[in-house]
Structure formats: C-alpha cells, structure tokens
Amino acid sequence: MDKWVVHKFGGSSVADASCFRRVADILEASSNPREAVVLSACRGVTDELLGLVSLAERPDGNIAAAIEQLKSRYEMLAEELLSRPAYEAYRTLLNKDCRDIAGVLQTVRLIRAATDSMRDVISGYGEIWSTRLYAAFLRERGRIPGEILWIDARQVVIVEWGPLGPAVQWSESERNLRQLVPENFQGRLIVTGFVATTTTGIQTTLGRNGSDFSGSIFGALLDAAEIIIWTDVDGVLSADPRLVPNAQVIDQLSYNEAMELAYFGAKVIHPQTMAPAVARDIPIYIRNTFAPHKHGTLICTHPVSALKVKGITTIDPVALVNLEGAGMIGVPGTAHRLFGALHDAGISVILISQGSSEHSICFAIPQAQAVRAEEAVRRAFDAELRDGQIQHVDVGLGLSILAVVGDGMAGAHGVAAKVFNSLGNAAISVRAIAQGASERNISLVVDGKFAARALRAVHAAFYLSPNTLSIGLIGPGTVGRVLLAQIASQVERLRALNLDLRLRGIAGSNRMLLEEGAIDLERWPQRLAEGGEALDLDKFVAHCQADYIPHTVIIDCTASAEVAGNYRDWLARGIHVVTPNKKANSGPLPAYHALKEAARAAGTHYLYEATVGAGLPVIQTLRDLRETGDDITRIEGIFSGTLAYLFNVFDGSESFSSIVRAAKLKGYTEPDPRDDLSGMDVARKLIILAREMGLTLELSDVEVTGLVPAALSACDVEEFMRRLPEYDASMAAMLAEAGRQRQVLRYVGRIDADGRSSVGLTRLDAKHAFANIALTDNVVRFATRRYCDNPLIVQGPGAGPEVTAGGVFADLLRLSAYLGAHL
Ligand code: ADP
Ligand code: ASP
Ligand code: MG
C-alpha cells in the first residue's frame, strides 16, 4: 500500500482566500495517492475565540456583536471560495456552531468565570471552520483524484493531560482512526489541528500552537513516510527572524535539537511535535507555503551538518529566584525540598543552576509564576529563614533566557568561550548559567532589556563572518556614486575572501534609503527614488550600526562641515569613519584632537587617504615614514589638480581667463572657480599633512597667496568670470618674465618641519620635477632624513571621481584588514 504523506499548514498559511488557493496549488502538485492535511485555524482566530471567552467573563462586553464579526469573516471567505450551494451548506453549519458558542458564553457570563473545558471547546472552533471550508473548496476544485474526507480530530486523538502536557493514547487513537479511514483509502484527509478529546470524553486542545503536534500525531497514526509542516518562513532559522533579521535557514536538525530550540522559544514548531516522529523515525520538513520551491529544514535522526551551533533562542519574561545561605552547604535534600515545593505549587522550572559550593541555588521560572514561587519557597524554608541558615530568597524580574543549541557542541572546544566573549564584547552581563550534561544546550540568564542585543551578538559570533561590515554612505554624488560602482564590481570576489561588505544605508542631501539586509549595489538609485524616506541623520546612523553585525563604517563622501562635525560622536560610539571630506581634519585643532582621541579611546578607525591627492598614497606614505622613525624636513608639492591643469596649459598661446573659462566648462574647476584659485583648498590639504606630521597648526597659520584679485573676491560668479580678463595682462607678464629665465609658473604648497607653511604661485626651473607633470597631476615631494639628497616623490592624477573613489575604497579595504580580514 502507498505510504502516507502528512502536511500541516499553520494559521499564517490559511489566513485568507488567496492563501487557501495557494495551499490547494501545493497539494494538487503532488501525485501521491494518499495524503493527510492538518490545518490550523485562520490566522488570529484562536486568539479571537479566546477573546470571546474573556469578553463573556466581563459584565459589559457585547458578545453577540463579537460572534457576528467572527462569523462574517468566514462567510466572506466561504462566499469567495465556494459555489452557492456549497456556501449555503457551509453557512448552515457555521450558524449552528455560533449558536452553540453563544450558549456556552451565556453560561460563562452567568457564572462570571470560564472553566478550562469551556475555553477548550470554544477555542477549537477555528480549526473546525477552516478544515470544513477547505474540504468543500478542494472537492469543488476537483483536481485531486480520490476522495476528500473531512476528519474531526476530536473523534480520533485521545489524550490524557498530565504534568508533562497531553499524553496521546496511541492504541485508542489508532482504533478511532481506523474506523473513519478505510485501509485502502485513496485521496485526501482534511484534518482539524489543535483539537482532541480526553480519556473521559471531554473536548480538549493540545495547547497553543498545538497543530504542529497534531500534524506529527497523524503522521505517526498513519505511519507516514514524511511530515511536512508548512509555515510563513523558509524553515527553522538560526534565530527568531523578528529579532535577528539576518537569521539563516538551518538545513538539517536532529529531533533533539529541534526540541530544544522549540522548548526554548523558537515559535516555528511546537516542542512536542518531535516525539511521535522520533519513535517511528519519520522525517519532518519545515517549509514555506509562500516559497514552496525552497527545500526548507529537515528534522531527522542523523542530520548531516557541519554546524556546531544550530540555533539561538530567547524566552522572556522570566524571573530568577536565588536562594542563598551557608546552612545549605553539604546538607542533603535541600534541592529535593525546594523543587518538591515548586512542584506542589504547580510551577514549571525552566533552568536550574547551583554552584559546587552549594552556598546558593538559583532557578528561572516564567515571570507570571514569580509571586507564587517566592511564597512556596519561603513556606518550605520557613524555619531556615527564621534562624538564618538561609539568608536570602531574592527574586529578580524582567529577565530573559538565552539558549544556544546544537548537538555538535558536545566535545567541541571553544563554543562556550565564543558565547561569553561575544556577550562580553556587547557589554552584557550574565546573571546565571546552565549547561546540561548532554552539552546540547548552553542557557544563560540576562537582563531582559538586553535580550535582543545578546541574541544578535551571539548569533553574529556563530553565523556571520567576523568580517561583516555594515556600511552607511553619506553623499551619493560624484565620488559616492563611483565608489558604489567600484564596490559592486568587487563585492563577490571579496565575499569569497570572507569579507562581507553590506551597504545598509545611503543618505543624500534630503532623502535616505535604509535596508535591513543590504541595498542592491546596482539598483540603489531606483531604490532610493522609490523606497527612500526623508533624511534623518540620527536614524540613519542608528540603523547602520545594527548590533547584529560585527562592524559598522560610515563613509562620508560629502564636502560638508556639518556632517564632519559628527565624526567624533560616531567614532566614540564604535563606528569607523572613512572619508575624502577635508573639513574635519582641517577644522579647528582642538576638534581635530578630540576626534583622534575619541577613535583611540573607542578602538575605532578613522581613515582619510583621499583627502590629499585623491587616490595617491600620500597620507599612508607619510605615516609609514614617521612610524618607521624617519624625520620629515619638508613636504612640498602641487596639491590641486585644477591649478596643476591651469598652469600646465597656460603657455602664452591663450589668455589665462579663457583657460579658466574652458576649464570651468569642462567641469575641471569648482562651480565657482575662485574656490580653487583662492588657494584655500591647497591650504586645507597642507594642514592635513602638517597635523599628520605632528605639527599643531591651524588653517590660519598657512601663508596663502591666492590668485583671486581682491576686487573680484566679493562679487557673484558671473561678474567674476566677466571681469577676469582685466587681469590677463598681469598674468601674461608674469609668464613672460618666467619664460625669460627658463622658468615655469606653478602653484605650490610647502610645509617645513618647524611649522612654516605657505601656498602660492612660484617660478620653478623648467627642469624641476614639478615643471614636468601632466594635466591634473598632483605631485608630493617628501624631504626626510632618509630621503634627503634625492627626495621621495609621489606623483599621478590627483583629481577626478574614479581615482578619488579608488582612494576611499582602498581605505575601506584597509579598515577591513585592520578588523581582521585576510585579503
Ligand atoms: P504557523 O502559523 O505556521 O504555525 P507560527 O507563527 O506559529 O506559524 O510560527 C512561525 C513564526 O515563528 C515565524 O513567522 C517566525 O516569526 C517565528 N519564529 C521564531 N523563532 C523562529 C526560528 N528560530 N525559526 C523560524 N521562525 C521562527
Ligand atoms: N490555532 C491554534 C493556535 O493558534 C493552534 C495552532 O495554530 O497551531 O494556537
Ligand atoms: Mg505555529
């Protein structure tokens, strides 16, 4: 006989009419002759039914209206999915059920309290309604051969509730099922999840989220080949995706691992689901209804996986009760009395920890049981508390348990170290620890406020490359845009080297784009246009510094002093900064020192190679010289690509003003050419180098001789351009004079070890290194103790988006290397 396959669809998979169709598509795609389909209630319905009971317990709520509302949801659903006659038949049964519900609620209202069994009866209707509708819908679609048989699990599954939850009475349940389903059945069983009957014949449920358990009970009863649990995520994830957005699908899990994860809070599967499958070795798959092509997670006896840690979960809120006293040392039976008392009070203990000194013992319980637990403990140790053998019973509230689960942890070295290291780095203290002898689970108690951060930190330690960088880019303009294209071209290669660069935020001048995973480096302009929001720099930075990603870097590609004003704060907060923006380093000296100090104190990196000479290795060269003990005597050079160009071209054949005009048209100058001609840009670069040399100079200390005539310094750009020819004659005269001496004109910046620094137009011998440069070349000459007779020269194109972005990218890679990447 063909083997059964059992499917279970959760509430999220049957939320509305389109979900019903999707589920039907999945089932109709299978050619298996017999399958069982366990369904949950439509999303939210169980909560609503329980809400009805609470409403009835209050004197004022309008029960009839609430029932009507719920009923109309199903009527609408049925109307959309069924033909008229099938709809009418469905509605008749629905009406009857609603009358029954109203009757029970009336009783509740009279006695002002619902019994457990009343609650069970009412909360189970969601599954009855969804399955009845689904069976009718599948029958009408008629695409599955064989019979579509509706099964009310209350007539099959018999359980006995005990301290460990509902225990299935297997032989009785099997007998029941055999009476409903003939041996040679072909087709589909549509089965209600969640509901069951007690051995005394009273309707019950399997507990919240219990349809998963129903799925595996039916899997076992039918001796299925496999059980597939369909939900709204791609499988069991390494952590709750609502708390850890980059949680990853776990390929395979053992039954025990799955059970531990479920018990410790992974809501995706009910902890009791595994037991029936283990006994018969039935594989369980967790798959996504909304992405049925994905393979999901396989839960089985011998999973194949290289991962030591499979998942990390949290449970909260919990309370931690600590019992402390010298009188407990070496006294047998204390634990017995303690846990006996808790058991008598019906309290379930989640975690226990006792130091080997036996001086204290602590345990974690659901916070809702804290008051009762404390009373029970105080009662049990009343005498010891009075005579001081036990000094304290403390109850800590608002805590969380973090559990790290994986079979591979047993016997592996360093797993616990990694857990505690990552918590230490995230500045989270651990209140209690427990590791079972199986070593499948390390559980710790942390302050609830930090639970999400703790989870993310531990998750990152096990699941991310330690070289994962969250990147925020401010200023996607000329340089920023090219930088993103350069990163895009290398990102895959770098990932193969274990460097994971994730652009998670882009901020323009008034809009920004934030993404949780990573922004598509090819499509960011469209994404920014479509999905962007109004700029809020604080929000931007907070987003980029996601605590589940090991490192954050902000790349500032603006020229804004305001943005640069934030570096200090960012560096102090643990964010690295990379920038071609000169404003911070050439601003007031105290602010510069504060910036450097903030980076030093926080252990963050601040990199700005592209502030001088664009991509040329100027700052790094200077640093290398100094750090290896060389002394700089003078740095001299041409630091402006624009001015280099103007004087390279200015040979007398054309007036200076027309060269400026042409350069402006080609975009070689700033929109206002005076920003170049004033020499201030060169002075800023000199200051950056001076400070790098250890000099304490301010911008005002640089002697700047600019090329903007005083009379034209205040007018607007148009007037400036119009009147510039008035000065052509004097420029031509200077050029002619230089020519007579076999010299050329160059705009040079110079800085000496004693701090003297100047910027201005100079006449240089035609054979001088600075005389023979091409186009926008920058040239920087380092005269040092080692390089004295023949100085060290760095030369090459010193302007333009490609080379500037290249310089910024090189800094980004340098940063990654500092953080441990092996490139
Ligand atoms: P269903 O309605 O299918 O029963 P649930 O809402 O009960 O679905 O469970 C699925 C949800 O569990 C997911 O949407 C996810 O938010 C949550 N979840 C919590 N922890 C995990 C985890 N470790 N792996 C996957 N999902 C998890
Ligand atoms: N409908 C029930 C609940 O919400 C059972 C389930 O969905 O698993 O708890
Ligand atoms: Mg569920």
Side-chain angles (χ1 to χ4, degrees):
M1 214 50 216
D2 296 296
K3 278 281 219 179
W4 287 89
V5 170
V6 174
H7 301 265
K8 178 262 169 175
F9 289 89
S12 50
S13 302
V14 289
D16 55 26
S18 65
C19 287
F20 271 71
R21 294 198 183 93
R22 192 175 294 115
V23 169
D25 290 341
I26 291 175
L27 292 174
E28 287 160 1
S30 157
S31 57
N32 210 34
R34 44 198 208 155
E35 300 196 340
V37 187
V38 176
L39 291 191
S40 288
C42 299
R43 184 170 58 207
V45 168
T46 311
D47 287 332
E48 281 176 47
L49 288 163
L50 287 167
L52 288 180
V53 180
S54 310
L55 193 68
E57 284 176 323
R58 294 206 307 266
D60 49 355
N62 186 343
I63 308 174
I67 296 179
E68 200 51 45
Q69 203 185 354
L70 194 55
K71 196 172 84 180
S72 73
R73 174 170 171 188
Y74 281 92
E75 283 171 346
M76 269 154 43
L77 204 53
E79 201 166 15
E80 195 175 339
L81 294 170
L82 303 180
S83 69
R84 201 71 211 170
Y87 164 74
E88 292 299 348
Y90 181 76
R91 215 169 73 120
T92 308
L93 291 172
L94 184 65
N95 279 333
K96 180 185 173 300
D97 290 342
C98 287
R99 281 195 300 276
D100 290 349
I101 290 177
V104 176
L105 292 180
Q106 202 47 48
T107 317
V108 173
R109 168 136 303 167
L110 288 173
I111 54 179
R112 289 282 162 78
T115 60
D116 285 347
S117 65
M118 287 168 162
R119 221 173 251 121
D120 282 350
V121 166
I122 291 188
S123 66
Y125 275 104
E127 273 69 11
I128 311 248
W129 294 335
S130 63
T131 46
R132 254 200 224 127
L133 177 57
Y134 194 68
F137 174 59
L138 268 195
R139 269 184 214 122
E140 291 208 318
R141 277 178 50 124
R143 298 182 197 165
I144 294 176
E147 199 182 339
I148 308 283
L149 182 63
W150 180 66
I151 300 277
D152 179 349
R154 291 173 299 187
Q155 294 172 15
V156 178
V157 180
I158 308 298
V159 298
E160 186 161 321
W161 271 88
L164 298 178
V168 179
Q169 308 300 298
W170 290 103
S171 42
E172 214 177 330
S173 304
E174 247 173 79
R175 213 166 32 244
N176 291 340
L177 185 64
R178 262 203 305 275
Q179 277 172 11
L180 294 175
V181 183
E183 181 84 32
N184 55 357
F185 178 88
Q186 302 261 312
R188 301 289 178 269
L189 305 181
I190 311 296
V191 184
T192 54
F194 189 46
V195 289
T197 299
T198 65
T199 39
T200 50
I202 295 169
Q203 180 174 334
T204 186
T205 72
L206 301 175
R208 292 312 305 270
N209 260 314
S211 294
D212 297 333
F213 189 20
S214 308
S216 74
I217 293 173
F218 276 87
L221 290 174
L222 294 165
D223 193 23
E226 57 188 56
I227 298 165
I228 309 174
I229 295 186
W230 296 88
T231 180
D232 61 350
V233 281
D234 287 346
V236 180
L237 302 171
S238 50
D240 186 336
R242 291 163 297 188
L243 299 174
V244 182
N246 55 358
Q248 296 170 28
V249 179
I250 311 173
D251 275 353
Q252 301 197 3
L253 284 170
S254 70
Y255 293 115
N256 283 331
E257 288 172 326
M259 206 150 55
E260 296 263 356
L261 284 174
Y263 177 73
F264 280 94
K267 189 196 164 210
V268 65
I269 188 163
H270 187 280
Q272 278 173 300
T273 312
M274 271 54 72
V278 180
R280 293 156 190 84
D281 209 1
I282 306 172
I284 302 175
Y285 293 88
I286 310 291
R287 298 182 59 182
N288 192 345
T289 306
F290 302 85
H293 55 283
K294 298 196 177 164
H295 51 66
T297 299
L298 165 63
I299 303 172
C300 59
T301 316
H302 298 295
V304 179
S305 171
L307 292 173
K308 290 193 184 77
V309 166
K310 293 288 179 55
I312 303 147
T313 57
T314 49
I315 313 186
D316 42 27
V318 298
L320 192 66
V321 181
N322 188 27
L323 196 64
E324 207 171 304
M328 296 194 300
I329 299 175
V331 180
T334 312
H336 173 78
R337 277 171 60 202
L338 173 62
F339 294 110
L342 292 170
H343 172 258
D344 293 344
I347 287 160
S348 57
V349 177
I350 314 174
L351 166 155
I352 304 165
S353 168
Q354 178 179 28
S356 58
S357 78
E358 297 181 51
H359 176 248
S360 73
I361 181 164
C362 73
F363 56 91
I365 50 174
Q367 179 155 299
Q369 301 179 355
V371 174
R372 273 195 299 131
E374 183 175 358
E375 279 167 10
V377 173
R378 287 191 183 280
R379 218 177 305 119
F381 291 95
D382 184 44
E384 288 85 346
L385 279 162
R386 266 189 284 126
D387 64 22
Q389 281 172 306
I390 289 179
Q391 282 112 29
H392 301 287
V393 178
D394 299 321
V395 182
L397 299 176
L399 303 170
S400 289
I401 294 182
L402 179 100
V404 181
V405 174
D407 286 340
M409 285 168 20
H413 300 291
V415 174
K418 216 170 190 177
V419 172
F420 291 106
N421 258 337
S422 57
L423 291 174
N425 290 339
I428 291 162
S429 50
V430 174
R431 303 278 293 267
I433 305 166
Q435 173 171 25
S438 76
E439 289 190 64
R440 184 178 298 120
N441 179 330
I442 301 177
S443 320
L444 352 125
V445 180
V446 297
D447 190 326
K449 282 202 295 294
F450 305 130
R453 199 163 96 208
L455 181 66
R456 292 167 175 192
V458 175
H459 186 268
F462 287 100
Y463 269 92
L464 290 184
S465 146
N467 307 317
T468 303
L469 262 76
S470 168
I471 302 175
L473 178 104
I474 306 180
T478 328
V479 172
R481 183 175 297 268
V482 176
L483 174 65
L484 292 180
Q486 290 180 354
I487 295 177
S489 73
Q490 296 302 310
V491 80
E492 285 306 323
R493 184 185 66 84
L494 293 168
R495 196 165 298 143
L497 296 174
N498 214 9
L499 172 61
D500 186 359
L501 299 178
R502 298 189 185 178
L503 178 72
R504 299 182 58 256
I506 299 182
S509 44
N510 43 44
R511 294 192 71 68
M512 63 180 184
L513 173 65
L514 307 180
E515 270 178 31
E516 212 42 80
I519 299 172
D520 185 336
L521 286 163
E522 314 282 352
R523 295 194 58 245
W524 68 264
Q526 297 94 299
R527 297 280 305 127
L528 182 60
E530 295 155 9
E533 55 189 283
L535 177 65
D536 172 345
L537 203 55
D538 290 337
K539 184 173 172 197
F540 177 82
V541 173
H543 168 87
C544 292
Q545 193 178 25
D547 46 15
Y548 60 91
I549 297 186
H551 311 287
T552 307
V553 54
I554 291 198
I555 305 179
D556 171 20
C557 286
T558 70
S560 152
E562 197 187 328
V563 174
N566 293 297
Y567 296 172
R568 178 185 169 186
D569 172 45
W570 296 342
L571 290 163
R573 282 170 58 178
I575 299 173
H576 309 286
V577 176
V578 171
T579 187
N581 178 355
K582 293 181 275 291
K583 293 292 159 42
N585 280 18
S586 57
L589 193 60
Y592 173 78
H593 283 311
L595 192 68
K596 290 280 184 159
E597 178 51 32
R600 209 190 50 75
T604 41
H605 298 278
Y606 171 44
L607 301 172
Y608 42 84
E609 177 64 85
T611 54
V612 180
L616 298 179
V618 176
I619 302 218
Q620 193 56 40
T621 304
L622 176 52
R623 254 190 220 159
D624 288 348
L625 290 171
R626 281 177 43 83
E627 281 170 7
T628 57
D630 203 351
D631 296 316
I632 315 292
T633 40
R634 170 178 282 185
I635 301 177
E636 192 171 20
I638 294 180
F639 296 98
S640 156
T642 311
L643 294 173
Y645 174 81
L646 294 179
F647 288 100
N648 277 336
V649 175
F650 186 39
D651 59 3
S653 58
E654 211 182 327
S655 71
F656 188 70
S657 66
S658 62
I659 293 172
V660 172
R661 186 177 302 278
K664 178 173 174 349
L665 279 177
K666 284 188 201 147
Y668 288 4
T669 69
E670 294 295 320
D672 184 344
R674 285 172 295 186
D675 292 342
D676 299 303
L677 295 170
S678 70
M680 285 318 289
D681 175 64
V682 177
R684 284 190 184 277
K685 291 173 181 165
L686 271 198
I687 280 299
I688 295 172
L689 294 179
R691 290 176 179 173
E692 206 61 41
M693 283 167 69
L695 297 170
T696 50
L697 293 189
E698 291 284 8
L699 193 56
S700 55
D701 294 327
V702 185
E703 198 182 299
V704 184
T705 317
L707 293 172
V708 181
L712 299 189
S713 63
C715 59
D716 63 20
V717 191
E718 282 77 48
E719 186 179 345
F720 169 75
M721 292 305 290
R722 199 175 60 245
R723 292 184 52 195
L724 193 58
E726 294 169 18
Y727 299 85
D728 279 342
S730 67
M731 288 301 285
M734 264 200 274
L735 182 68
E737 175 58 24
R740 275 194 289 282
Q741 316 270 343
R742 296 192 176 285
Q743 288 177 321
V744 296
L745 295 179
R746 290 292 181 262
Y747 198 82
V748 172
R750 175 176 305 144
I751 176 161
D752 288 328
D754 62 6
R756 265 180 307 159
S757 53
S758 63
V759 172
L761 197 58
T762 318
R763 290 205 313 235
L764 295 176
D765 190 89
K767 293 208 183 69
H768 192 281
F770 297 178
N772 299 291
I773 56 173
L775 295 174
T776 61
D777 270 7
N778 278 197
V779 49
V780 186
R781 195 164 78 150
F782 297 94
T784 74
R785 187 165 44 75
R786 290 180 198 146
Y787 294 91
C788 56
D789 301 333
N790 196 6
L792 171 74
I793 291 182
V794 177
Q795 179 183 342
E802 283 288 340
V803 289
T804 309
V808 179
F809 196 6
D811 267 349
L812 182 62
L813 296 184
R814 199 168 291 135
L815 169 69
S816 312
Y818 292 157
L819 299 174
H822 295 284
L823 298 174

